[in-house]
Amino acid sequence: MSLGAERRHIRDVTAWQPRVPGVVEVFHAHYTEYAYPMHVHDAWTLLVVDDGAVRYDLDRHEHGTPHGTVTLLPPHVPHNGEPVTEAGFRKRVLYLEPGALDTSLIGAAVDEPDLRDPLLRRRVGQLHTALAHPGDELEAESRLVLVRERLRHHLRPRPVRQPHPDDRPLARRLRELLDERTAQGVTLGEAAALVHAHPAHLVRAFSTAFGIAPHQYLMSRRVEHARRLLLAGQPPGEVAALSGFYDQAHLTRHFKRWVGVPPGRYARTSASLT
């Protein structure tokens, strides 16, 4: 294939490696006529198609990705892929570490790789959004454990565990940890190890007890800390670092979400009243 032909077939590709345990790579692409040859990955491939559709062979059986499905391709199982129509397809892919799901689930994933589950689809989309923003790693970790839990639900159905009254002390311990480490932050894995709980259980317990996800709680605490510093006259650039944000743009995005105005405008407004 010539370079010009390849550019026509591959309209847009973006790939990066986030600082989130369990995610090997994030890959977004828009393909038209491009077809994947038969190949394998050593990671779990979690795929959503936003426009168009893909036809592929997995373990010598033909499959497709109709609108709204989530496709999970297991590691080391050969597959290919090609667009169903001339318009091609636009996809978002997460490559998850081999240990992200138990190897005993590979057979079920081969048998039914295309999952029609609106909740799973929404959670995968939320995970992609979090992964695209440096500084939102705790949110991405939290959303990843919920995605993995939902995948296990499909591959190995089991009754949903009801919240237990003993989960509330666990939620309180996590809240205390987030309060202590508001600026420096904590990964979900570290938090789970410190309070001796499974990450997915920890997220559910906290959300059930307080009506807010751990990453939302942490971000709201950071915004509150930023507000106090801005009112004290600190410039937004310094406030971002002191409050635990990745950079000033990260502070601005979350500050506007919680307060309704950018931090600079908030500071100017408060200054005009003094």
Side-chain angles (χ1 to χ4, degrees):
M1 181 187 298
S2 69
L3 180 59
E6 182 178 348
R7 286 173 176 168
R8 289 196 299 272
H9 295 172
I10 304 175
R11 298 291 183 85
D12 185 38
V13 168
T14 305
W16 71 95
Q17 185 177 39
R19 299 185 303 172
V20 174
V23 181
V24 177
E25 180 185 336
V26 184
F27 183 77
H28 295 179
H30 180 196
Y31 293 145
T32 53
E33 301 173 29
Y34 180 74
Y36 284 103
M38 194 64 71
H39 64 287
V40 300
H41 297 289
D42 60 0
W44 289 88
T45 303
L46 188 63
L47 162 73
V48 294
V49 175
D50 296 309
D51 294 302
V54 180
R55 189 213 67 80
Y56 66 96
D57 296 305
L58 178 71
D59 194 37
R60 298 180 297 279
H61 291 85
E62 184 174 331
H63 298 276
T65 59
H67 183 70
T69 61
V70 175
T71 298
L72 180 68
L73 305 178
H76 308 298
V77 179
H79 59 277
N80 57 12
E82 62 182 10
V84 173
T85 69
E86 293 182 357
F89 60 89
R90 190 184 300 273
K91 69 174 184 176
R92 290 176 292 166
V93 185
L94 297 176
Y95 294 104
L96 306 179
E97 290 180 354
L101 295 167
D102 194 89
T103 56
S104 65
L105 304 177
I106 289 178
V110 170
D111 293 339
E112 191 176 358
D114 298 308
L115 307 172
R116 294 165 176 80
D117 181 345
L119 176 59
L120 176 61
R121 173 83 181 203
R122 183 166 65 252
R123 285 180 174 174
V124 170
Q126 292 168 334
L127 175 55
H128 273 280
T129 300
L131 288 168
H133 294 112
D136 287 357
E137 284 79 15
L138 179 60
E139 176 179 352
E141 284 189 87
S142 300
R143 296 199 182 282
L144 177 59
V145 296
L146 297 178
V147 166
R148 290 167 56 188
E149 183 181 56
R150 192 70 180 175
L151 290 170
R152 294 189 192 99
H153 168 78
H154 280 281
L155 301 176
R156 184 184 294 160
R158 63 186 64 186
V160 177
R161 181 182 180 275
Q162 297 300 318
H164 191 276
D166 290 341
D167 286 348
R168 194 166 184 87
L170 179 67
R172 285 197 294 267
R173 290 200 297 275
L174 176 57
R175 184 173 63 180
E176 292 169 358
L177 178 62
L178 295 177
D179 288 342
E180 293 169 0
R181 300 179 60 169
T182 297
Q184 61 267 47
V186 61
T187 69
L188 189 59
E190 290 173 335
L194 288 171
V195 302
H196 308 292
H198 188 277
H201 182 190
L202 190 58
V203 172
R204 286 197 308 270
F206 191 95
S207 301
T208 299
F210 301 119
I212 186 173
H215 68 269
Q216 293 173 319
Y217 178 83
L218 177 63
M219 201 58 67
S220 66
R221 289 301 313 275
R222 286 177 171 173
V223 169
E224 285 300 304
H225 185 49
R227 292 175 73 162
R228 304 288 83 80
L229 294 175
L230 289 167
L231 291 177
Q234 294 270 48
E238 295 180 7
V239 169
L242 293 172
S243 303
F245 290 93
Y246 182 78
D247 55 19
Q248 188 171 338
H250 188 220
L251 165 66
T252 298
R253 182 163 59 85
H254 286 284
F255 198 92
K256 287 179 65 177
R257 182 183 298 174
W258 259 266
V259 184
V261 296
R265 180 177 174 184
Y266 177 85
R268 289 193 299 272
T269 301
S270 63
S272 68
L273 297 175
T274 58

Coordinates of all heavy atoms in Angstrom, one line a residue, residues 138 141 145 170 173-174 177 181 186-203:
L138 N -7.2 9.0 39.7 CA -8.1 8.3 40.7 C -9.5 8.0 40.1 O -10.0 6.9 40.3 CB -8.2 9.1 42.0 CG -9.1 8.4 43.1 CD1 -8.5 7.1 43.5 CD2 -9.2 9.4 44.3
E141 N -9.1 5.1 37.7 CA -8.9 3.8 38.4 C -10.3 3.4 39.0 O -10.6 2.2 38.9 CB -8.0 4.0 39.6 CG -6.5 4.0 39.2 CD -5.6 4.0 40.5 OE1 -5.3 2.9 40.9 OE2 -5.3 5.1 41.0
V145 N -12.3 -0.2 37.8 CA -12.7 -1.3 38.6 C -14.2 -1.6 38.4 O -14.6 -2.8 38.4 CB -12.4 -1.1 40.1 CG1 -10.9 -1.0 40.3 CG2 -13.2 0.1 40.7
L170 N -15.5 1.0 56.8 CA -14.6 0.9 55.7 C -14.6 2.2 54.9 O -13.6 2.8 54.6 CB -14.9 -0.3 54.8 CG -14.0 -0.4 53.6 CD1 -12.6 -0.8 54.0 CD2 -14.6 -1.5 52.7
R173 N -13.0 5.0 56.8 CA -11.5 4.9 56.8 C -11.0 5.5 55.5 O -9.9 6.2 55.5 CB -11.0 3.5 57.0 CG -11.3 3.0 58.4 CD -10.4 1.8 58.7 NE -10.7 0.6 57.8 CZ -11.6 -0.3 58.0 NH1 -12.4 -0.2 59.1 NH2 -11.8 -1.3 57.2
L174 N -11.6 5.2 54.4 CA -11.2 5.8 53.1 C -11.4 7.3 53.1 O -10.5 8.0 52.6 CB -12.0 5.1 51.9 CG -11.7 5.7 50.5 CD1 -10.2 5.6 50.2 CD2 -12.5 5.0 49.5
L177 N -8.6 8.8 54.9 CA -7.4 8.8 54.1 C -7.4 9.9 53.0 O -6.4 10.5 52.8 CB -7.3 7.4 53.4 CG -6.1 7.2 52.5 CD1 -4.8 7.3 53.3 CD2 -6.1 5.8 51.9
R181 N -4.8 13.1 52.6 CA -3.9 13.1 51.4 C -4.6 13.9 50.3 O -4.5 13.5 49.1 CB -3.5 11.7 51.0 CG -2.7 11.0 52.1 CD -2.3 9.6 51.8 NE -1.4 9.5 50.6 CZ -0.8 8.4 50.2 NH1 -0.9 7.3 50.9 NH2 0.0 8.5 49.1
V186 N -3.9 9.7 46.3 CA -3.6 8.3 46.6 C -4.2 7.5 45.4 O -5.3 7.8 44.9 CB -4.2 7.9 47.9 CG1 -5.7 8.1 47.9 CG2 -3.8 6.5 48.3
T187 N -3.5 6.5 45.0 CA -4.1 5.6 44.0 C -5.1 4.7 44.6 O -5.1 4.4 45.8 CB -3.0 4.8 43.3 OG1 -2.5 3.8 44.2 CG2 -1.9 5.6 42.8
L188 N -6.0 4.1 43.8 CA -7.0 3.2 44.3 C -6.3 2.0 44.9 O -6.8 1.4 45.9 CB -8.0 2.9 43.2 CG -9.3 2.1 43.7 CD1 -10.0 2.9 44.7 CD2 -10.1 1.8 42.5
G189 N -5.3 1.5 44.2 CA -4.6 0.3 44.7 C -4.0 0.6 46.1 O -4.0 -0.3 47.0
E190 N -3.3 1.7 46.3 CA -2.8 2.1 47.6 C -3.8 2.2 48.6 O -3.6 1.7 49.8 CB -2.0 3.4 47.5 CG -0.7 3.4 46.6 CD -0.2 4.8 46.4 OE1 -0.9 5.8 46.5 OE2 1.0 4.9 46.2
A191 N -4.9 2.8 48.3 CA -6.0 3.0 49.3 C -6.6 1.6 49.7 O -6.8 1.4 50.9 CB -7.1 3.8 48.7
A192 N -6.8 0.7 48.7 CA -7.3 -0.6 49.0 C -6.4 -1.4 49.9 O -6.8 -2.1 50.8 CB -7.6 -1.3 47.7
A193 N -5.0 -1.2 49.7 CA -4.1 -1.9 50.5 C -4.1 -1.4 51.9 O -3.9 -2.1 52.9 CB -2.7 -1.8 49.9
L194 N -4.2 0.0 52.1 CA -4.1 0.6 53.4 C -5.3 0.3 54.2 O -5.2 0.2 55.5 CB -4.0 2.1 53.2 CG -2.6 2.6 52.7 CD1 -2.6 4.1 52.3 CD2 -1.5 2.3 53.7
V195 N -6.5 0.1 53.6 CA -7.7 -0.1 54.4 C -8.1 -1.6 54.3 O -9.2 -2.0 54.8 CB -8.9 0.8 54.0 CG1 -8.5 2.2 54.1 CG2 -9.3 0.5 52.5
H196 N -7.3 -2.4 53.6 CA -7.5 -3.8 53.5 C -8.9 -4.2 52.9 O -9.7 -4.8 53.5 CB -7.4 -4.5 54.9 CG -6.1 -4.1 55.6 ND1 -4.9 -4.5 55.2 CD2 -5.9 -3.3 56.7 CE1 -3.9 -4.1 56.0 NE2 -4.5 -3.3 56.9
A197 N -9.1 -3.8 51.7 CA -10.3 -4.0 51.0 C -10.0 -4.2 49.5 O -9.1 -3.6 49.0 CB -11.4 -2.9 51.2
H198 N -10.9 -4.9 48.8 CA -10.8 -5.0 47.3 C -11.2 -3.7 46.7 O -12.1 -3.0 47.2 CB -11.7 -6.1 46.8 CG -11.6 -6.4 45.4 ND1 -12.2 -5.6 44.4 CD2 -10.8 -7.4 44.7 CE1 -11.8 -6.1 43.2 NE2 -11.0 -7.2 43.4
P199 N -10.5 -3.2 45.7 CA -10.8 -1.9 45.1 C -12.2 -1.7 44.7 O -12.8 -0.6 45.0 CB -9.8 -1.8 43.9 CG -8.7 -2.7 44.2 CD -9.3 -3.8 45.1
A200 N -12.8 -2.7 44.0 CA -14.2 -2.5 43.6 C -15.1 -2.4 44.8 O -16.1 -1.6 44.9 CB -14.6 -3.7 42.7
H201 N -14.9 -3.2 45.8 CA -15.7 -3.2 47.1 C -15.5 -1.8 47.8 O -16.5 -1.3 48.3 CB -15.2 -4.3 48.0 CG -15.9 -4.4 49.3 ND1 -15.6 -5.2 50.3 CD2 -17.1 -3.8 49.7 CE1 -16.4 -5.1 51.3 NE2 -17.3 -4.2 51.0
L202 N -14.3 -1.3 47.7 CA -14.0 0.0 48.4 C -14.8 1.1 47.7 O -15.4 2.0 48.3 CB -12.6 0.3 48.3 CG -12.0 1.4 49.1 CD1 -12.4 1.3 50.6 CD2 -10.5 1.5 49.0
V203 N -14.8 1.1 46.3 CA -15.6 2.1 45.6 C -17.1 2.0 45.9 O -17.7 3.1 46.2 CB -15.3 2.0 44.1 CG1 -16.2 2.9 43.3 CG2 -13.9 2.3 43.8

